[in-house]
Amino acid sequence: MTRRPFHHESEETRRQDLIAATLDAIAESGLRGATVREIAERAGVTPGLIRHYFVSKELMFQAAYRAVMQTMFETADHAAEDEGTSAVNRLRVFVLANFKAPIIDPRNLSLWATFISQISVDPALAAIHRDGYIAFRDRLQAHIGAALEESGRNLAPGELRYLAIAINGMMDGLWLEGSMAADLFGEGELAHVALASVEKLLGISLAENK
């Protein structure tokens, strides 16, 4: 077990430290094995201090799943924002980011799969999953709309939604394959497949503009 140093910093920093320790425990021991005592040991705090931040283990697990979803969404979105050039390039970078660490990663897949197995019996986790999916799809739809508009095409919201659903589903499938069996694919192969598929669906080139 790896213990995280518990920093004497702000309330939010401490809360994030506990979420990180929770994810470590879940990744190694699963939801049942991730007890408050084990999480406290990993974080280097007492179980009583954990209850100051999370009044129940269920709320701590919900925060942990929300963190997993946010990492996958925000990593791609921030990468696209940092690109800061054309809308086509931002869409390109958004897609590519989903096939790089920390998004495409066996640990991320394991955590996601652990939580996803519970959404049919846990309404709170189901709501977090739904919110994360919609946030990602809506951001993807915005990037698609901007890229198409920049290329001289203006589609109705329903058409953009259709494309976002299709592209998100395609990317999810490739992400699963890459996270489960990375050794089956060459470096950058899945990213190339994703970009080529998006180009065909949208009818535009996503070649990098210098």
Side-chain angles (χ1 to χ4, degrees):
M1 179 190 298
T2 302
R3 290 178 171 80
R4 291 175 174 268
F6 192 72
H7 305 295
H8 296 284
E9 298 180 7
S10 69
E11 292 265 319
E12 181 57 26
T13 298
R14 291 177 178 180
R15 188 174 185 277
Q16 294 304 317
D17 284 344
L18 288 173
I19 291 172
T22 301
L23 290 172
D24 287 344
I26 293 171
E28 185 171 316
S29 306
L31 288 174
R32 290 190 176 182
T35 63
V36 171
R37 181 176 298 279
E38 181 186 358
I39 292 167
E41 289 180 0
R42 288 176 180 274
V45 301
T46 65
L49 185 58
I50 288 182
R51 286 189 285 272
H52 171 73
Y53 292 91
F54 301 101
V55 297
S56 69
K57 187 168 73 168
E58 289 73 24
L59 287 177
M60 188 159 50
F61 286 171
Q62 291 166 27
Y65 187 36
R66 194 174 289 110
V68 171
M69 298 294 284
Q70 286 177 343
T71 293
M72 292 193 282
F73 168 66
E74 292 177 357
T75 298
D77 204 36
H78 291 167
E81 288 177 359
D82 290 343
E83 183 66 15
T85 54
S86 70
V88 168
N89 270 347
R90 289 195 296 274
L91 174 59
R92 176 179 180 275
V93 171
F94 186 87
V95 172
L96 289 177
N98 286 275
F99 301 97
K100 299 177 182 178
I103 297 179
I104 192 164
D105 178 79
R107 181 177 183 271
N108 251 352
L109 173 63
S110 177
L111 287 167
W112 176 83
T114 297
F115 285 113
I116 208 73
S117 69
Q118 298 300 307
I119 65 171
S120 63
V121 295
D122 189 322
L125 292 179
I128 292 168
H129 177 79
R130 176 186 173 87
D131 290 346
Y133 167 77
I134 291 173
F136 186 90
R137 192 192 68 198
D138 285 352
R139 193 63 184 138
L140 174 60
Q141 180 174 326
H143 282 301
I144 291 169
L148 288 174
E149 184 177 355
E150 187 176 81
S151 302
R153 294 173 58 198
N154 290 284
L155 300 186
E159 294 175 290
L160 292 175
R161 181 177 184 275
Y162 176 91
L163 289 169
I165 292 171
I167 290 171
N168 183 62
M170 175 272 296
M171 289 168 57
D172 275 352
L174 293 177
W175 173 77
L176 282 169
E177 293 295 334
S179 296
M180 288 189 296
D183 60 306
L184 297 179
F185 309 100
E187 183 177 357
E189 184 177 5
L190 292 178
H192 176 76
V193 171
L195 283 179
S197 300
V198 174
E199 287 180 333
K200 286 188 177 297
L201 282 166
L202 301 185
I204 61 174
S205 171
L206 293 182
E208 185 175 9
N209 296 322
K210 299 295 186 178

